[in-house]
Coordinates of all heavy atoms in Angstrom, one line a residue:
Chain C
E96 N -24.4 -4.4 21.0 CA -23.0 -4.6 21.4 C -22.1 -5.4 20.5 O -21.0 -5.3 20.2 CB -23.0 -5.3 22.8 CG -21.7 -5.1 23.5 CD -21.9 -4.2 24.8 OE1 -22.3 -3.1 24.7 OE2 -21.4 -4.6 25.8
E97 N -22.9 -6.6 20.1 CA -22.2 -7.6 19.3 C -21.8 -7.1 18.0 O -20.7 -7.3 17.5 CB -23.2 -8.7 19.0 CG -22.5 -10.0 18.7 CD -23.5 -11.1 18.4 OE1 -24.6 -11.1 19.1 OE2 -23.2 -11.9 17.5
Q98 N -22.7 -6.2 17.5 CA -22.4 -5.6 16.0 C -21.2 -4.7 16.3 O -20.3 -4.6 15.3 CB -23.5 -4.8 15.6 CG -24.7 -5.8 15.0 CD -26.0 -5.0 14.7 OE1 -26.3 -4.1 15.4 NE2 -26.7 -5.6 13.9
T99 N -21.1 -3.9 17.3 CA -19.9 -3.1 17.5 C -18.6 -3.9 17.6 O -17.6 -3.5 17.0 CB -20.0 -2.3 18.8 OG1 -21.5 -1.8 18.9 CG2 -19.1 -1.0 18.9
K100 N -18.7 -5.0 18.4 CA -17.5 -5.8 18.5 C -17.1 -6.5 17.2 O -15.9 -6.5 16.8 CB -17.9 -6.9 19.5 CG -16.7 -7.5 20.2 CD -17.1 -8.4 21.3 CE -15.8 -9.1 21.7 NZ -16.1 -10.2 22.5
K101 N -18.1 -6.9 16.3 CA -17.9 -7.3 15.0 C -17.1 -6.3 14.2 O -16.2 -6.7 13.5 CB -19.1 -7.8 14.4 CG -19.4 -9.3 14.3 CD -20.5 -9.7 13.5 CE -20.5 -11.1 13.1 NZ -21.7 -11.4 12.5
F102 N -17.6 -5.1 14.3 CA -17.0 -4.0 13.6 C -15.5 -3.9 13.9 O -14.6 -3.6 13.0 CB -17.7 -2.7 13.7 CG -17.3 -1.5 12.9 CD1 -17.6 -1.5 11.7 CD2 -16.4 -0.7 13.4 CE1 -17.2 -0.4 10.8 CE2 -16.0 0.5 12.7 CZ -16.3 0.6 11.4
T103 N -15.2 -3.9 15.1 CA -13.8 -3.7 15.5 C -12.8 -4.7 15.0 O -11.6 -4.5 14.8 CB -13.7 -3.6 17.0 OG1 -14.5 -4.5 17.7 CG2 -13.9 -2.2 17.6
I104 N -13.3 -6.1 14.9 CA -12.3 -7.1 14.4 C -12.4 -7.2 12.9 O -11.5 -7.9 12.4 CB -12.7 -8.3 15.1 CG1 -14.0 -8.8 15.0 CG2 -12.2 -8.1 16.6 CD1 -14.3 -10.3 15.4
M105 N -13.3 -6.7 12.2 CA -13.2 -6.9 10.7 C -12.2 -6.0 9.9 O -11.8 -5.0 10.5 CB -14.6 -6.9 10.2 CG -15.3 -5.5 10.0 SD -16.9 -5.7 9.6 CE -17.3 -4.1 8.8
T106 N -12.1 -6.3 8.8 CA -11.2 -5.4 7.9 C -11.9 -4.3 7.3 O -12.8 -3.8 7.9 CB -10.4 -6.3 7.0 OG1 -11.4 -7.0 6.1 CG2 -9.4 -7.2 7.6
S107 N -11.7 -4.0 6.0 CA -12.4 -3.0 5.4 C -13.9 -3.2 5.2 O -14.3 -4.4 5.2 CB -11.9 -2.8 3.9 OG -10.7 -3.3 3.7
F108 N -14.7 -2.2 5.2 CA -16.0 -2.3 5.0 C -16.5 -1.4 4.0 O -15.8 -0.3 3.8 CB -16.9 -2.2 6.4 CG -16.7 -0.8 6.8 CD1 -17.7 0.2 6.5 CD2 -15.7 -0.2 7.6 CE1 -17.6 1.4 7.0 CE2 -15.5 1.1 8.0 CZ -16.5 1.9 7.7
G109 N -17.6 -1.6 3.3 CA -18.1 -0.7 2.4 C -19.6 -0.8 2.3 O -20.1 -1.8 1.6
C110 N -20.3 0.1 3.0 CA -21.7 0.1 2.9 C -22.2 1.4 3.3 O -21.5 2.2 4.0 CB -22.4 -1.0 3.6 SG -22.2 -0.9 5.3
S111 N -23.5 1.8 3.1 CA -24.0 3.0 3.6 C -24.4 2.8 5.1 O -24.5 1.7 5.6 CB -25.2 3.4 2.8 OG -26.1 2.4 3.0
M112 N -24.6 3.8 5.7 CA -24.9 3.8 7.2 C -26.3 3.0 7.3 O -26.4 2.4 8.4 CB -25.1 5.2 7.8 CG -23.7 5.9 8.2 SD -22.7 4.7 9.2 CE -23.4 5.0 10.8
K113 N -27.2 3.2 6.5 CA -28.4 2.5 6.6 C -28.3 1.0 6.5 O -28.9 0.3 7.2 CB -29.3 3.0 5.4 CG -30.7 3.3 5.8 CD -31.3 3.6 4.4 CE -32.6 4.3 4.4 NZ -32.9 4.6 3.0
E114 N -27.3 0.5 5.6 CA -27.1 -1.0 5.4 C -26.2 -1.5 6.5 O -26.1 -2.7 6.7 CB -26.4 -1.1 4.1 CG -27.2 -0.9 2.9 CD -26.4 -0.8 1.7 OE1 -25.2 -0.4 1.7 OE2 -27.0 -1.0 0.5
L115 N -25.5 -0.6 7.3 CA -24.5 -1.1 8.3 C -25.0 -2.2 9.2 O -24.2 -3.2 9.3 CB -24.0 0.0 9.0 CG -22.6 -0.2 9.8 CD1 -21.5 -0.5 8.7 CD2 -22.2 1.0 10.5
P116 N -26.1 -2.1 9.9 CA -26.4 -3.2 10.9 C -26.5 -4.5 10.1 O -26.0 -5.6 10.7 CB -27.8 -2.7 11.4 CG -27.8 -1.4 11.3 CD -27.0 -1.0 10.1
Q117 N -27.2 -4.5 9.0 CA -27.4 -5.7 8.2 C -26.1 -6.2 7.8 O -25.7 -7.5 7.7 CB -28.3 -5.3 7.0 CG -28.9 -6.5 6.2 CD -29.3 -6.1 4.8 OE1 -29.4 -4.9 4.7 NE2 -29.5 -7.1 4.0
Y118 N -25.2 -5.3 7.3 CA -23.9 -5.7 6.8 C -22.9 -6.3 7.9 O -22.3 -7.3 7.7 CB -23.2 -4.3 6.3 CG -21.8 -4.5 5.5 CD1 -21.8 -5.0 4.3 CD2 -20.5 -4.3 6.2 CE1 -20.6 -5.1 3.6 CE2 -19.4 -4.5 5.6 CZ -19.6 -4.9 4.2 OH -18.2 -4.9 3.5
L119 N -23.2 -5.8 9.1 CA -22.3 -6.4 10.2 C -22.7 -7.7 10.7 O -21.9 -8.5 11.2 CB -22.3 -5.4 11.4 CG -21.8 -4.2 11.2 CD1 -21.9 -3.2 12.5 CD2 -20.2 -4.3 11.2
D120 N -24.0 -8.2 10.4 CA -24.5 -9.4 10.8 C -24.0 -10.6 9.8 O -24.0 -11.6 10.1 CB -26.0 -9.4 10.9 CG -26.5 -8.6 12.1 OD1 -25.7 -8.6 13.0 OD2 -27.6 -8.2 12.0
L121 N -23.4 -10.1 8.7 CA -23.0 -11.1 7.7 C -21.6 -11.7 8.1 O -20.9 -11.0 8.9 CB -22.9 -10.6 6.3 CG -24.1 -9.9 5.8 CD1 -23.8 -9.1 4.4 CD2 -25.2 -11.0 5.5
T122 N -21.3 -12.8 7.6 CA -19.9 -13.3 7.7 C -19.0 -12.8 6.7 O -19.4 -12.2 5.6 CB -19.9 -14.9 7.6 OG1 -20.4 -15.1 6.4 CG2 -20.8 -15.5 8.7
G123 N -17.7 -13.0 6.8 CA -16.8 -12.4 5.9 C -17.0 -12.8 4.4 O -16.9 -11.9 3.5
E124 N -17.4 -14.1 4.2 CA -17.6 -14.5 2.8 C -18.8 -13.9 2.2 O -19.0 -13.5 1.0 CB -17.6 -16.1 2.8 CG -16.4 -16.8 2.4 CD -15.6 -16.2 1.2 OE1 -16.2 -16.2 0.2 OE2 -14.5 -15.7 1.4
E125 N -19.9 -13.6 3.1 CA -21.1 -13.1 2.6 C -21.0 -11.6 2.4 O -21.6 -11.0 1.5 CB -22.3 -13.3 3.7 CG -22.8 -14.7 3.8 CD -23.6 -15.0 5.0 OE1 -23.4 -14.2 6.1 OE2 -24.5 -15.9 4.9
R126 N -20.2 -11.0 3.1 CA -19.8 -9.6 2.9 C -19.3 -9.3 1.5 O -19.5 -8.3 0.8 CB -18.9 -9.0 3.8 CG -19.6 -8.6 5.1 CD -18.7 -7.9 6.1 NE -19.2 -8.2 7.4 CZ -18.5 -8.7 8.4 NH1 -17.2 -9.0 8.2 NH2 -19.0 -8.9 9.6
K127 N -18.5 -10.4 1.0 CA -17.9 -10.3 -0.3 C -18.9 -10.2 -1.4 O -18.8 -9.6 -2.4 CB -17.0 -11.5 -0.6 CG -15.5 -11.1 -0.5 CD -14.7 -12.2 -0.9 CE -13.2 -11.8 -1.0 NZ -12.3 -12.8 -1.3
R128 N -20.0 -10.8 -1.1 CA -21.1 -11.0 -2.1 C -22.2 -9.9 -1.9 O -23.1 -9.9 -2.7 CB -21.7 -12.5 -2.1 CG -20.9 -13.3 -2.9 CD -21.5 -14.8 -2.9 NE -20.7 -15.5 -1.9 CZ -21.3 -16.1 -0.9 NH1 -22.7 -16.2 -0.8 NH2 -20.6 -16.8 0.0
F129 N -22.2 -9.2 -0.8 CA -23.2 -8.2 -0.5 C -23.3 -7.2 -1.6 O -22.2 -6.6 -2.0 CB -22.8 -7.6 0.9 CG -23.8 -6.8 1.5 CD1 -25.0 -7.3 1.8 CD2 -23.7 -5.3 1.5 CE1 -26.1 -6.5 2.5 CE2 -24.6 -4.6 2.0 CZ -25.8 -5.1 2.5
N130 N -24.6 -6.9 -2.0 CA -24.6 -6.0 -3.1 C -24.8 -4.7 -2.5 O -25.7 -4.3 -2.0 CB -26.0 -6.4 -3.8 CG -26.2 -5.7 -5.0 OD1 -25.2 -5.0 -5.7 ND2 -27.4 -5.6 -5.6
T131 N -23.8 -3.9 -2.7 CA -23.6 -2.5 -2.2 C -23.0 -1.6 -3.2 O -22.3 -2.0 -4.1 CB -23.0 -2.5 -0.9 OG1 -23.0 -1.2 -0.4 CG2 -21.6 -3.1 -0.9
I132 N -23.2 -0.3 -3.0 CA -22.6 0.6 -3.8 C -21.2 1.1 -3.1 O -20.7 2.1 -3.6 CB -23.4 1.8 -4.3 CG1 -24.1 2.4 -3.0 CG2 -24.4 1.4 -5.2 CD1 -24.5 3.8 -3.2
G133 N -20.9 0.6 -1.9 CA -19.8 1.0 -1.2 C -20.2 2.2 -0.3 O -21.4 2.6 -0.2
I134 N -19.3 2.9 0.3 CA -19.6 4.0 1.1 C -19.9 5.2 0.1 O -19.2 5.5 -0.8 CB -18.4 4.4 2.1 CG1 -18.0 3.2 2.9 CG2 -18.7 5.6 2.7 CD1 -16.8 3.5 3.6
P135 N -21.2 5.8 0.4 CA -21.5 6.9 -0.5 C -20.6 8.1 -0.4 O -20.2 8.5 0.7 CB -23.0 7.3 0.0 CG -23.4 6.2 0.9 CD -22.1 5.6 1.4
T136 N -20.2 8.7 -1.7 CA -19.3 9.7 -1.5 C -20.0 11.0 -2.3 O -19.2 12.0 -2.3 CB -18.0 9.4 -2.4 OG1 -18.4 9.0 -3.8 CG2 -17.1 8.4 -1.7
D137 N -21.1 10.9 -2.8 CA -21.7 12.1 -3.5 C -21.9 13.2 -2.5 O -22.0 13.0 -1.3 CB -22.9 11.7 -4.3 CG -23.8 10.8 -3.5 OD1 -23.7 10.9 -2.2 OD2 -24.5 10.0 -4.0
S138 N -22.0 14.4 -3.1 CA -21.9 15.6 -2.3 C -23.2 15.8 -1.4 O -23.2 16.4 -0.4 CB -21.8 16.8 -3.2 OG -22.6 16.8 -4.3
T139 N -24.3 15.1 -1.9 CA -25.5 15.3 -1.1 C -25.5 14.4 0.2 O -26.1 14.7 1.2 CB -26.8 14.9 -2.0 OG1 -26.6 13.7 -2.6 CG2 -27.0 16.0 -2.9
K140 N -24.9 13.3 0.0 CA -24.9 12.3 1.2 C -23.4 11.8 1.4 O -23.2 10.6 1.2 CB -25.8 11.2 0.8 CG -26.5 10.6 2.1 CD -27.5 9.6 1.6 CE -27.2 8.3 2.1 NZ -27.5 7.1 1.3
N141 N -22.6 12.7 1.7 CA -21.2 12.5 1.8 C -20.8 11.7 3.1 O -20.2 12.2 4.1 CB -20.3 13.6 1.6 CG -18.9 13.3 1.2 OD1 -18.5 12.2 1.3 ND2 -18.4 14.2 0.4
E142 N -21.2 10.4 3.1 CA -20.9 9.7 4.4 C -19.3 9.4 4.5 O -18.7 9.4 5.7 CB -21.6 8.2 4.4 CG -23.1 8.5 4.6 CD -23.8 7.1 4.6 OE1 -23.1 6.1 4.5 OE2 -25.0 7.2 4.5
L143 N -18.7 9.3 3.4 CA -17.1 9.0 3.5 C -16.5 10.2 4.3 O -15.6 9.9 5.1 CB -16.6 8.8 2.1 CG -15.1 8.5 2.1 CD1 -14.9 7.1 2.6 CD2 -14.5 8.6 0.7
K144 N -17.0 11.4 4.0 CA -16.3 12.5 4.7 C -16.5 12.4 6.2 O -15.4 12.7 6.9 CB -17.0 13.9 4.1 CG -16.2 15.1 4.5 CD -16.8 16.3 3.7 CE -16.1 17.4 4.1 NZ -16.6 18.6 3.4
D145 N -17.6 12.1 6.6 CA -17.9 11.9 8.1 C -17.0 10.8 8.6 O -16.5 10.9 9.7 CB -19.3 11.6 8.3 CG -20.1 12.9 8.0 OD1 -19.6 14.0 8.3 OD2 -21.2 12.7 7.5
W146 N -16.9 9.6 7.9 CA -16.2 8.5 8.3 C -14.7 9.0 8.4 O -14.0 8.7 9.5 CB -16.2 7.4 7.3 CG -17.3 6.5 7.4 CD1 -18.3 6.2 6.5 CD2 -17.6 5.5 8.4 NE1 -19.2 5.4 6.8 CE2 -18.9 4.9 8.1 CE3 -17.1 5.2 9.6 CZ2 -19.6 3.9 8.9 CZ3 -17.7 4.3 10.4 CH2 -18.9 3.7 10.0
I147 N -14.2 9.6 7.4 CA -12.8 10.0 7.6 C -12.6 11.1 8.6 O -11.6 11.0 9.4 CB -12.4 10.6 6.1 CG1 -12.3 9.5 5.0 CG2 -10.8 11.2 6.2 CD1 -12.1 10.1 3.7
Y148 N -13.5 11.9 8.8 CA -13.3 13.0 9.8 C -13.4 12.3 11.2 O -12.4 12.6 12.0 CB -14.6 14.0 9.8 CG -14.6 14.9 10.9 CD1 -13.8 16.1 10.8 CD2 -15.6 14.9 11.8 CE1 -13.8 17.0 11.7 CE2 -15.6 15.8 12.8 CZ -14.7 16.9 12.8 OH -14.8 17.8 13.8
Y149 N -14.2 11.4 11.4 CA -14.3 10.8 12.8 C -13.1 9.8 12.9 O -12.4 9.6 14.0 CB -15.5 10.2 13.1 CG -16.7 11.1 13.3 CD1 -17.8 11.2 12.5 CD2 -16.6 12.0 14.4 CE1 -18.7 12.1 12.8 CE2 -17.6 12.9 14.6 CZ -18.7 13.0 13.9 OH -19.6 13.9 14.1
G150 N -12.8 9.1 11.8 CA -11.7 8.2 11.8 C -10.4 8.9 12.2 O -9.5 8.4 13.0

Side-chain angles (χ1 to χ4, degrees):
Chain C
E96 194 114 314
E97 202 186 325
Q98 282 168 335
T99 317
K100 211 172 162 195
K101 254 189 167 174
F102 182 82
T103 34
I104 54 165
M105 70 188 205
T106 56
S107 343
F108 66 95
C110 64
S111 63
M112 277 310 280
K113 230 187 191 164
E114 294 164 331
L115 193 64
Q117 191 198 345
Y118 187 79
L119 287 175
D120 287 334
L121 303 172
T122 62
E124 269 310 300
E125 285 169 332
R126 271 186 214 126
K127 255 187 169 173
R128 273 176 269 128
F129 188 71
N130 187 18
T131 175
I132 51 149
I134 301 172
T136 56
D137 43 27
S138 48
T139 49
K140 213 174 115 209
N141 202 334
E142 286 179 11
L143 183 70
K144 194 170 176 174
D145 292 323
W146 279 114
I147 295 173
Y148 176 72
Y149 288 118

